[in-house]
Amino acid sequence: MFALVGCCTLAVAQDDEEVDESYQFVTASGEVIANGSTIVMRDVELEEDPGTGELTYVVPADFQVKNVSNTFGECVRLYMVITQIDNGEFNTCALGNCIPGKSEPCDLYTSAKRMDVDEVSGDLLTEWYSFDYGKCVVEMQIEVGEIVGFGNFSFLDYGPKITVEFVNPDPAGIRAVDGTAVPAERYTLDGRHAGESQKGIQIVRFSDGSVHKMVVR
């Protein structure tokens, strides 16, 4: 597994809709993510199939759900809407319910979970597996309810809603962003100089000083 880019960008947008705030989305460090926020996940990992050598880009989510002040007996689940997926599959085992990977826009519900006050869900195990550069956009909303009967979820109220953009950026695309950054030096994983057309994984240093790993096919 190779880390390509490590970055999480949070854009806060105030949502005027009244929501139940007894559960909150929080960062890995415990900071509350405001209702209506957009999170951009750019922490890309590269996985190689040991049998075929096929490369897959994995962009994981890096946030959790926390019970801030819920009433005894209430529980939480997540309602997710995939609004864009350029390639690959969106996978989630959030709140303990693994859902088969989805490769096109659709709606998803996780299972419901009871959480004690101040309890944090832990890793949501939510990732975008991509086969090429692009983006996967997922809206996620907390739903507060009760578990009734044989594990059935009875909806009570909506909680905070965020938009998550999973991004697998093409390092060469940096040139299109600011018009100045261009590849300055290329190296193989063992530190040798590489040519622009040399196939495989390259470590590329750009003229603005940034360094990225990229795959040349």
Side-chain angles (χ1 to χ4, degrees):
M1 182 183 295
F2 305 92
L4 293 183
V5 182
C7 180
C8 170
T9 304
L10 175 63
V12 179
Q14 184 64 40
D15 195 322
D16 294 331
E17 183 181 357
E18 291 288 336
V19 297
D20 183 331
E21 296 186 343
S22 58
Y23 290 89
Q24 296 281 353
F25 289 105
V26 297
T27 65
S29 61
E31 180 181 1
V32 172
I33 302 172
N35 178 45
S37 297
T38 295
I39 302 176
V40 181
M41 303 305 307
R42 297 176 180 269
D43 187 4
V44 185
E45 299 173 344
L46 190 61
E47 292 187 355
E48 180 177 354
D49 187 311
T52 64
E54 182 179 0
L55 298 173
T56 302
Y57 303 92
V58 183
V59 186
D62 187 23
F63 55 89
Q64 307 169 78
V65 174
K66 182 177 181 179
N67 178 354
V68 179
S69 60
N70 84 309
T71 302
F72 177 78
E74 290 185 351
C75 60
V76 61
R77 73 176 181 182
L78 296 181
Y79 171 49
M80 302 182 182
V81 181
I82 303 173
T83 61
Q84 176 183 340
I85 182 166
D86 292 343
N87 61 78
E89 286 188 346
F90 173 77
N91 291 266
T92 182
C93 285
L95 303 181
N97 178 33
C98 290
I99 299 172
K102 304 299 180 182
S103 57
E104 57 186 31
C106 64
D107 296 6
L108 304 171
Y109 285 98
T110 70
S111 58
K113 181 178 181 179
R114 285 195 178 101
M115 297 169 58
D116 294 330
V117 176
D118 292 330
E119 182 181 349
V120 180
S121 65
D123 191 343
L124 290 180
L125 299 175
T126 297
E127 302 165 319
W128 174 42
Y129 286 80
S130 67
F131 307 118
D132 204 346
Y133 304 117
K135 179 187 294 187
C136 174
V137 181
V138 183
E139 295 177 353
M140 300 185 184
Q141 182 152 31
I142 291 173
E143 291 190 349
V144 181
E146 295 178 332
I147 296 178
V148 298
F150 295 98
N152 295 317
F153 180 83
S154 177
F155 174 83
L156 294 176
D157 204 353
Y158 286 110
K161 177 181 178 181
I162 62 176
T163 299
V164 184
E165 296 184 1
F166 298 86
V167 180
N168 181 14
D170 182 351
I174 294 176
R175 287 174 291 181
V177 175
D178 58 19
T180 59
V182 296
E185 295 178 298
R186 297 171 180 266
Y187 300 89
T188 60
L189 290 177
D190 58 6
R192 293 177 297 173
H193 280 282
E196 182 176 354
S197 60
Q198 184 172 331
K199 293 183 180 180
I201 301 172
Q202 296 185 1
I203 299 174
V204 183
R205 184 177 67 81
F206 285 81
S207 57
D208 63 355
S210 61
V211 177
H212 302 277
K213 282 183 182 176
M214 60 185 295
V215 178
V216 179
R217 297 174 177 173

